[in-house]
Amino acid sequence: MYLGIDCGTQGTKALLIDANGATIGSGYAPHELTERESGAREQDPAWWVEALRTSVRQALAKSDGTAVVALGVSGQQHGLVILDENLEVIRPAKLWCDTETAPQNQQLVDVLGGKQAWFERFGIVPLTGYTVSKLLWLKQNEPASFARIRHILLPHEYLNFWLTGRMCAEFGDASGTAFFDVRTRTWMREVLDTIDGGTGQLFAALPPLITVDEAVGTVRPEVAADLGLSTSCVVSCGGGDNMMGAIGTGNVREGVVTLSLGTSSTVYSFHSAPVLDPTGNVAPFCSSSGGWLPLVCTMNATNVVTQTLHTLGRTVLDIEAALAATEPGAGGLVFLPFLNGERTPDLPNARGTLTGISPNNFTPDNLIRAAIEGVSFGILNGLDLIQNGAPVDRMLVIGGGSRSAAWRQLLADASGATVEVPMQEEAGCLGAAIQAMYLYSRETTTPESFAEIAGRCVAVEPSRSAAPNSALRTAYRRARDQYESSLNAAYPNR
């Protein structure tokens, strides 16, 4: 058996599967989230560990955990975990959705020559939310904590450390730090020296890099006893949640697109060579399966829709009726859904905007549609950037938003792609388990490729597929154009 663990923003999930991808057990435990008006979003890594314990025990409740031969960990990207010389966590982790560090991000861009210089020198343009600006924020705002830094980890790396006692990093999650060169797959000391003044403190705190073909280690005896696992259980390198979501949807070869609709929204597609974007809108990340995974992320997705529904006294059960009762474009009502600021476009200090209100369109159903369209059009604009004009025939949609048939149909009609939903909703967990299976096959049996394992373990649910309605394409094109016009009016200098 194989175990996949996914530490997200809202909670940690665990999935136990067999060699064919069939679910044997699952578990979930929620996280707290510390939010401040300044834009700070933080969590104590101890919360992740406790949630991992709970979710894994649930997943193993009806099984012999000692039969789990390998496990993998997926984690929310960009979060900063810092440890002192005693391997103790210094302060709560600043998360991917933390926008408090926007000034520090801009400062780093400027001091190293601007976006074009960053792109030419490092192959990436840092955006608010990436790990690097969090380090500068700490130096400027919490110098005592900064001085104690001896180890720098990302969330999934911290959980790997707790599981095995070893600190290491892999290429996919490291790509989102902005102190990692996605072209050469090496740490970038120059960026860190800019922050610590060339002392070498930060560079020395980085963990060694390993490939997907290397294990982090095996589960520590005390952890194995705690969770009911074997001490011979192998821990794969793991990766960021988007990288694991790609593996869990079979996005391990060119020609497949995955769109995730969770608290944030992401869209990505596997490539066998780096895809570099000088604007910084497309994150040129590595994959956690051996290639590259160009990705676009928006910071506002299901949270916007959920809050809109709550404000109107509605629930997610009302989405279908609201979309059925309204037309593409919501009668001219446009919602720019930047409640948490935004990454793509890069507007960390933006706030949500509702425009085009008239006596005829200002209804609860149109408000719901406008929220869903705002979220959808934003991420579809990101897909256009990745595809650079190439059409998309097939799109796998995951996350909470994928549960709505009407939302899936909206995505199909607006993009022109057939939308499919994997049978296993927990793509991050499944991807982590598949990665573990890949590693175990290379270490003990006949090696299998990611494509071979995904072909066996990843299936779509035909009843939830949505084919595009060509009759609505023009209406959605007009609606997307109106969204773009409203965006340009609100933020002309973006």
Side-chain angles (χ1 to χ4, degrees):
M1 296 187 293
Y2 303 87
L3 185 63
I5 300 164
D6 180 23
C7 174
T9 312
Q10 297 179 344
T12 293
K13 302 167 185 173
L15 178 69
L16 184 65
I17 64 171
D18 65 16
N20 293 313
T23 299
I24 299 172
S26 62
Y28 173 76
H31 300 155
E32 295 181 55
L33 176 64
T34 301
E35 301 181 82
R36 292 191 289 274
E37 190 62 31
S38 63
R41 304 288 187 276
E42 300 177 351
Q43 288 176 332
D44 187 334
W47 300 345
W48 305 335
V49 170
E50 190 55 39
L52 183 152
R53 282 191 175 110
T54 300
S55 60
V56 168
R57 287 167 181 161
Q58 290 173 0
L60 297 175
K62 297 181 180 179
S63 303
D64 177 7
T66 61
V68 177
V69 295
L71 67 82
V73 177
S74 163
Q76 49 181 302
Q77 286 191 255
H78 312 310
L80 175 64
V81 184
I82 50 174
L83 309 184
D84 63 17
E85 61 183 5
N86 298 315
L87 306 181
E88 297 293 332
V89 174
I90 295 171
R91 72 176 312 281
K94 294 187 80 65
L95 305 184
W96 64 272
C97 48
D98 186 296
T99 59
E100 187 176 40
T101 62
Q104 286 74 28
N105 186 77
Q106 188 59 52
Q107 184 178 341
L108 286 167
V109 170
D110 293 341
V111 76
L112 286 170
K115 288 185 176 181
Q116 186 62 34
W118 266 84
F119 175 72
E120 292 173 356
R121 294 163 69 181
F122 309 123
I124 194 170
V125 179
L127 299 177
T128 299
Y130 286 11
T131 317
V132 68
S133 59
K134 298 171 173 62
L135 288 167
L136 182 57
W137 184 93
L138 279 172
K139 181 181 181 182
Q140 294 176 349
N141 293 274
E142 298 181 7
S145 293
F146 183 86
R148 294 173 57 199
I149 294 175
R150 296 297 179 270
H151 302 279
I152 297 171
L153 298 175
L154 299 170
H156 103 269
E157 296 165 2
Y158 178 75
L159 291 176
N160 279 348
F161 169 61
W162 181 80
L163 286 164
T164 68
R166 182 187 177 195
M167 297 184 196
C168 56
E170 57 81 45
F171 304 146
D173 214 1
S175 301
T177 62
F179 44 83
F180 175 86
D181 191 323
V182 299
R183 302 163 301 182
T184 61
R185 301 191 180 203
T186 56
W187 294 121
M188 301 188 300
R189 176 165 182 164
E190 181 181 355
V191 174
L192 298 176
D193 284 351
T194 300
I195 298 173
D196 66 19
T199 65
Q201 173 198 358
L202 296 180
F203 187 75
L206 298 178
L209 291 157
I210 63 173
T211 72
V212 71
D213 294 327
E214 302 174 64
V216 177
T218 54
V219 177
R220 292 187 293 133
E222 56 268 44
V223 173
D226 184 22
L227 300 179
L229 297 170
S230 166
T231 55
S232 63
C233 179
V234 177
V235 179
S236 68
C237 67
D241 50 3
N242 293 304
M243 290 74 191
M244 295 295 103
I247 297 172
T249 55
N251 197 341
V252 293
R253 58 177 178 79
E254 295 195 2
V256 181
V257 169
T258 303
L259 190 155
S260 173
L261 289 171
T263 305
S264 65
S265 185
T266 52
V267 63
Y268 40 86
S269 181
F270 180 90
H271 285 253
S272 57
V275 175
L276 305 178
D277 173 26
T279 70
N281 287 316
V282 177
F285 294 163
C286 298
S287 74
S288 294
S289 58
W292 280 264
L293 197 73
L295 176 150
V296 169
C297 175
T298 60
M299 297 182 74
N300 301 274
T302 55
N303 60 310
V304 176
V305 176
T306 300
Q307 188 165 348
T308 301
L309 291 165
H310 178 74
T311 300
L312 296 171
R314 306 283 187 92
T315 72
V316 292
L317 300 177
D318 295 304
I319 289 176
E320 314 299 304
L323 292 181
T326 53
E327 300 293 332
L333 197 62
V334 178
F335 195 161
L336 303 181
F338 308 148
L339 304 191
N340 291 322
E342 191 48 88
R343 177 182 296 176
T344 311
D346 187 19
L347 299 168
N349 299 315
R351 290 294 180 263
T353 305
L354 197 61
T355 65
I357 302 172
S358 74
N360 296 323
N361 66 17
F362 197 45
T363 66
D365 285 345
N366 271 328
L367 280 168
I368 294 170
R369 173 178 277 276
I372 293 173
E373 286 187 345
V375 168
S376 301
F377 295 167
I379 197 61
L380 290 178
N381 285 349
L383 176 58
D384 290 345
L385 292 174
I386 290 175
Q387 293 300 108
N388 195 26
V392 175
D393 297 324
R394 181 171 178 254
M395 184 191 308
L396 290 136
V397 180
I398 60 176
S402 70
R403 299 189 183 103
S404 166
W407 197 342
R408 296 195 301 270
Q409 189 63 54
L410 184 155
L411 290 168
D413 296 339
S415 68
T418 295
V419 168
E420 298 178 333
V421 179
M423 293 188 72
Q424 176 51 255
E425 290 187 353
E426 305 305 339
C429 285
L430 180 59
I434 288 175
Q435 189 197 67
M437 197 181 304
Y438 167 87
L439 177 68
Y440 189 75
S441 78
R442 301 187 72 80
E443 291 198 340
T444 60
T445 60
T446 303
E448 292 186 284
S449 69
F450 277 103
E452 289 171 329
I453 300 174
R456 182 173 72 242
C457 295
V458 180
V460 299
E461 194 169 337
S463 64
R464 300 177 71 188
S465 296
N469 182 351
S470 59
L472 293 177
R473 192 67 189 277
T474 299
Y476 274 110
R477 184 66 266 171
R478 285 197 299 266
R480 289 184 66 181
D481 288 343
Q482 183 59 51
Y483 176 88
E484 195 68 20
S485 295
S486 297
L487 182 60
N488 289 335
Y491 301 100
N493 298 319
R494 63 186 174 93

